[in-house]
Amino acid sequence: MTRVALVTGGSRGIGAAIAKRLKNDGYTVAASYAGNDEAAAAFTAETGIKTYKWNVANYDSCVAGIAQVEADLGPVEVLVNNAGITRDAPFHKMTREQWSEVMDTNLSGVFNMTHPLWNGMRERKFGRVITISSINGQKGQFAQANYSAAKAGDIGFTKALAQEGARAGITVNVICPGYIATDMVMAVPEKVRDSIVASIPVGRLGEPEEIARCVAFLASDDAGFVTGSTITANGGQYIT
Ligand code: CAA
């Protein structure tokens, strides 16, 4: 029986690589996205992976979106909380709105997606919750008080929920990618990006597929004893 995997922010960047990898591994995959219809349509045309539009920052939208995915494909057994945004600004320039947008998407979005799926995973005695945090949730980052706080919150969320899921066969893990070659990182000013690359011991940005491989492992039956863990994949830029 093929398992159903749902990847948020799954039509672009790291999420798209995860969705493709899980499909290749035999999962039935759904990808959610928030806004870019064109990219989602192109992704579906290329991969055959169904895409669904809703904003993970809105709880009711998540409940409705998940219900639609489950009606189409069956119960979601693997959730990959990947959707995330940046609103970078030095703190003295950061607005309340920039703070809230990032917290609502990158932290509350993880609650909003995991909560509606949790009871079903408990009843079926199987589940995989994999959240994509960030190196910047571990080390902090200039101009990212909002993002670093949210991504650090994702790590705490994972450590707490892993303890609750353990007896129900649900593993809960988090991955902290470093700087990966995606639109998000390419939006960083070139000079800043060059200095970031210079600080990565392996000497390059990561590839989205390198994060997808970590997800594939955590989703697999082989990883049943791995829960509450943080996988750090950052080319040695920050060693915890
Ligand atoms: N450490 C210390 N000082 C820094 C700094 C740093 N890392 N980066 C910038 N500064 C300094 C600048 O030198 C400048 O100082 P002066 O005023 O003395 O010249 C000041 O801070 C910045 O002032 P600006 O008015 O130029 O700032 P700005 O309002 O234009 O903001 C910025 C610019 C948003 C900080 C921009 O430089 C930027 O985007 N930086 C990159 C931040 C970053 O790395 N974000 C990660 C995005 S990728 C991601 O998030 C994915 C992931 O998970 C890894």
Side-chain angles (χ1 to χ4, degrees), residues 6 41 75 171 212 219:
L6 171 56
T171 66

Side-chain angles (χ1 to χ4, degrees), residues 86 88 90 93 134 136 141-144 147 178-179 184 188-189 192:
T86 54
D88 293 357
K93 291 184 186 169
S134 166
N136 293 341
Q141 170 59 41
F142 188 99
Q144 287 198 314
Y147 187 89
Y179 282 76
M184 186 184 274
V188 172
V192 179

Side-chain angles (χ1 to χ4, degrees), residues 16 106 109 140 148 153 157 222 229:
N106 297 9
S148 297
F157 171 87
D222 286 345
S229 75

Side-chain angles (χ1 to χ4, degrees), residues 6-100:
L6 171 56
V7 184
T8 67
S11 62
R12 294 192 298 134
I14 293 174
I18 294 168
K20 285 188 212 171
R21 172 63 196 247
L22 292 177
K23 185 179 183 225
N24 284 343
D25 284 358
Y27 296 83
T28 301
V29 180
S32 79
Y33 72 101
N36 192 332
D37 295 320
E38 212 175 299
F43 176 76
T44 299
E46 178 203 334
T47 63
I49 295 170
K50 275 180 89 104
T51 46
Y52 297 81
K53 186 176 184 177
W54 75 82
N55 187 344
V56 297
N58 183 304
Y59 186 81
D60 293 339
S61 302
C62 292
V63 170
I66 288 167
Q68 187 60 55
V69 169
E70 294 200 322
D72 291 349
L73 306 177
V76 173
E77 295 184 285
V78 177
L79 170 65
V80 184
N81 288 310
N82 166 77
I85 60 170
T86 54
R87 297 288 182 268
D88 293 357
F91 193 62
H92 64 280
K93 291 184 186 169
M94 187 175 287
T95 63
R96 186 63 174 78
E97 195 184 7
Q98 288 173 319
W99 171 265
S100 300

